[in-house]
Amino acid sequence: MRKLELALELLSTLRALPRVAHQQRVAAYEVSGPVTVYVRADHSRVTVRRTLQPHVQIVGELRQAFGWEWVTERDEAGIYVVLKRRPLVGALASADLTLIVPPDAYLVFHLTPGSVHLDDFVGRLSVASLDEGGVQQAPEGDDRLPGG
């Protein structure tokens, strides 16, 4: 009987592991007028959704959550999101980051590596050429955003 109890306890623990390793984090900020959102993220997929509401919401779906450093801050220049993998324990970690922003939000991404997806995009999108100071590959060690 003791072996059966032990097996059931082990099975219960194993079932709980994915929930322990997966974590959702949320941060929200009320805004009035245009806002700049700076995102620095490692090995992440960033999805941008627009809302007519005057707020910025950041939702992080972190797999292997123990392997992540997550920081969100706000100051007069904008809202900062830093999502970095921890050395060693973060080697297998990945994340999906969803930004819900008003239409007048200005977005800046520093991804190492990552991807950006515009959800249900309607309208015009401009990405400046490298010569115009638009999308640029920053030199290694260029850590202008917090957390870098």
Side-chain angles (χ1 to χ4, degrees), residues 52-68:
L52 296 177
Q53 303 300 316
H55 72 269
V56 171
Q57 183 174 354
I58 303 120
V59 179
E61 295 287 339
L62 311 178
R63 287 173 293 286
Q64 288 76 38
F66 52 84
W68 287 104

Side-chain angles (χ1 to χ4, degrees), residues 77-130:
I79 297 170
Y80 302 89
V81 180
V82 178
L83 187 58
K84 292 181 71 175
R85 293 193 315 178
R86 295 181 190 275
L88 298 178
V89 295
L92 299 176
S94 64
D96 290 329
L97 192 64
T98 301
L99 303 177
I100 303 169
V101 298
D104 58 356
Y106 180 70
L107 305 172
V108 179
F109 300 103
H110 181 175
L111 306 175
T112 55
S115 61
V116 176
H117 301 270
L118 303 175
D119 196 30
D120 292 327
F121 181 78
V122 174
R124 185 174 168 177
L125 175 67
S126 298
V127 178
S129 69
L130 293 176

